[in-house]
Amino acid sequence: ALHLGTLVGVLSYFWRDIRDLLIVPSQRPLVGYLIVATIPGAIAGLLLEHKVETLFRAPALIACTLILMGGALALADRMNKGDKTVADINLKTALLVGFAQALALIPGVSRSGITITTGLALGLARPEAARFSFLLSMPIIAGAGIMKAHTIFSSPNPGAVGAGFVAAALSGFAAIWMLMRYVQRRRYTPFVIYRWILGALILLNLSRFS
């Protein structure tokens, strides 16, 4: 339900892009690339759903993925000299970002984080890497929401679910708005630092109780 709320935030912010995808003929290839990029994550989600909810939840694994993917983002951001836009995306780029998105099933990887990192590594400009990442989130979140719709609507506390949905939609829109403004001129460094600190805190906490 929270993810579906975030989806509303994405739809609200990128409504012009979505309109163009639907009605502008020159945007049709991008629609196809978004579909192609969605396939690896959808297949991985169907095959590994049980493992994602059990085996992959180890705190040590989450800490390590936070730190490692923070390093990958730092490297891709530092080496990025790209000026490619979403309109320059081809089949190869779509597939690579799509396979990267599938890795986000592992907690701590972050779907937006790994797709933005891959986009930067493939030469997309910083704002364009974020734009493609958020556009790519729409079909995968919508698909997951449809699969879990029965569970969501049969909740014994629909008021709480509804409040969470609205809160996620509002905070999601605000977060996207701030991120898109921020990366127009700046690097992703604060997000790298956040991941490293959080990963280190988890490891420190684990060591205290081991």
Side-chain angles (χ1 to χ4, degrees), residues 85-174:
T85 69
V86 168
D88 297 316
I89 288 173
N90 54 29
L91 181 60
K92 176 184 175 182
T93 301
L95 281 172
L96 289 173
V97 175
F99 281 111
Q101 179 171 247
L103 294 176
L105 289 168
I106 304 172
V109 170
S110 168
R111 193 214 62 82
S112 58
I114 194 168
T115 52
I116 288 173
T117 298
T118 306
L120 292 172
L122 294 173
L124 288 174
R126 290 185 181 91
E128 295 298 298
R131 183 179 300 277
F132 187 64
S133 172
F134 287 121
L135 291 175
L136 184 57
S137 74
M138 294 186 295
I140 200 80
I141 295 175
I146 292 171
M147 288 186 62
K148 297 292 186 179
H150 175 72
T151 304
I152 295 171
F153 290 112
S154 61
S155 169
N157 195 342
V161 173
F165 176 89
V166 172
L170 294 174
S171 59
F173 180 88

Side-chain angles (χ1 to χ4, degrees), residues 57-96:
R57 293 293 179 182
L61 174 62
I62 295 173
C64 290
T65 53
L66 279 166
I67 294 169
L68 290 173
M69 294 312 303
L73 176 58
L75 181 62
D77 196 25
R78 177 170 290 275
M79 296 181 65
N80 179 267
K81 302 186 185 303
D83 56 1
K84 293 181 181 178
T85 69
V86 168
D88 297 316
I89 288 173
N90 54 29
L91 181 60
K92 176 184 175 182
T93 301
L95 281 172
L96 289 173

Side-chain angles (χ1 to χ4, degrees), residues 164-200:
F165 176 89
V166 172
L170 294 174
S171 59
F173 180 88
I176 294 169
W177 180 81
M178 288 187 288
L179 175 66
M180 295 303 294
R181 287 176 63 87
Y182 178 84
V183 297
Q184 291 292 333
R185 299 179 179 275
R186 300 176 180 87
R187 295 178 181 271
Y188 286 90
T189 304
F191 304 96
V192 173
I193 295 172
Y194 150 74
R195 296 180 67 86
W196 285 346
I197 291 175
L198 181 56

Side-chain angles (χ1 to χ4, degrees), residues 21-86:
L21 288 173
L22 294 175
I23 66 174
V24 178
S26 62
Q27 294 288 314
R28 298 294 163 75
L30 180 57
V31 175
Y33 294 143
L34 287 169
I35 294 172
V36 167
T38 300
I39 293 173
I43 294 174
L46 291 172
L47 294 177
L48 300 174
E49 181 180 8
H50 179 68
K51 292 185 182 296
V52 168
E53 295 178 351
T54 55
L55 182 63
F56 293 166
R57 293 293 179 182
L61 174 62
I62 295 173
C64 290
T65 53
L66 279 166
I67 294 169
L68 290 173
M69 294 312 303
L73 176 58
L75 181 62
D77 196 25
R78 177 170 290 275
M79 296 181 65
N80 179 267
K81 302 186 185 303
D83 56 1
K84 293 181 181 178
T85 69
V86 168

